Amino acid sequence: MRSSPLAAAVVAIALSAVPAIAQNGLTWIDGTTAEGGGVLIYGLPESDYVILSLRCDPTTLALSIAFIPDEDLPPAMSGVTLTLTSEGGKVALPAERVYLEMLDAEIVEATIEQLDPALVEIFTTGQALAVNADGTAMLLPIPDEAIRTPFLTACAVMG
């Protein structure tokens, strides 16, 4: 799929509104299990520090996406929109706020029936992935092919 000039402009605007790509040891981690559960995490290896995680259920293929922003979410009701944007497109997902007492943090979690081609395109196209939850945004690098392929395979979708 080729990016149109309009799509590139939309991505540029979306990406300009978020902080610089996260660094300081943060990386994509393939957590896919031998049992077939697909897991892809952006965080600090060998720690509990996670910014974004994607998990496919091995039997239903349902996809859960959890975003744990570095800053507090703006005040709102429990419903929130989780938006993922890259040069591959933009997807807005209905999500819920979930408080994790153990981490004393509020996360945004969206669950969909399966990893669809639009999400695959977002996670495989371009250099940067913008993750936004109602104004709280972060810019992450796109996972490289070696890291994302086991996850996409486990989720029964190849990018």
Side-chain angles (χ1 to χ4, degrees):
M1 174 185 226
R2 300 187 110 178
S3 295
S4 71
L6 178 59
V10 169
V11 170
I13 291 167
L15 297 181
S16 69
V18 296
I21 293 179
Q23 296 177 8
N24 299 328
L26 297 173
T27 189
W28 285 101
I29 303 159
D30 169 30
T32 301
T33 65
E35 295 79 30
V39 179
L40 188 61
I41 299 166
Y42 186 77
L44 190 60
E46 300 180 30
S47 78
D48 291 337
Y49 186 72
V50 173
I51 292 174
L52 187 70
S53 71
L54 296 93
R55 181 177 32 87
C56 284
D57 182 283
T59 50
T60 67
L61 300 183
L63 174 69
S64 295
I65 302 171
F67 174 47
I68 305 140
D70 275 344
E71 57 188 75
D72 291 337
L73 293 165
M77 299 304 284
S78 64
V80 65
T81 299
L82 180 63
T83 306
L84 305 169
T85 308
S86 79
E87 290 178 33
K90 178 178 180 178
V91 172
L93 304 169
E96 293 293 322
R97 292 170 180 246
V98 178
Y99 178 72
L100 296 179
E101 188 173 340
M102 190 165 92
L103 297 177
D104 188 29
E106 192 171 37
I107 69 168
V108 175
E109 186 172 44
T111 302
I112 57 176
E113 287 184 24
Q114 66 182 38
L115 179 63
D116 67 26
L119 282 170
V120 172
E121 194 70 24
I122 288 168
F123 278 93
T124 59
T125 305
Q127 298 294 312
L129 169 68
V131 183
N132 186 313
D134 288 351
T136 301
M138 295 187 77
L139 189 61
L140 314 177
I142 294 288
D144 67 33
E145 187 174 355
I147 296 294
R148 71 181 180 236
T149 297
F151 170 76
L152 295 174
T153 301
C155 292
V157 178
M158 285 301 298

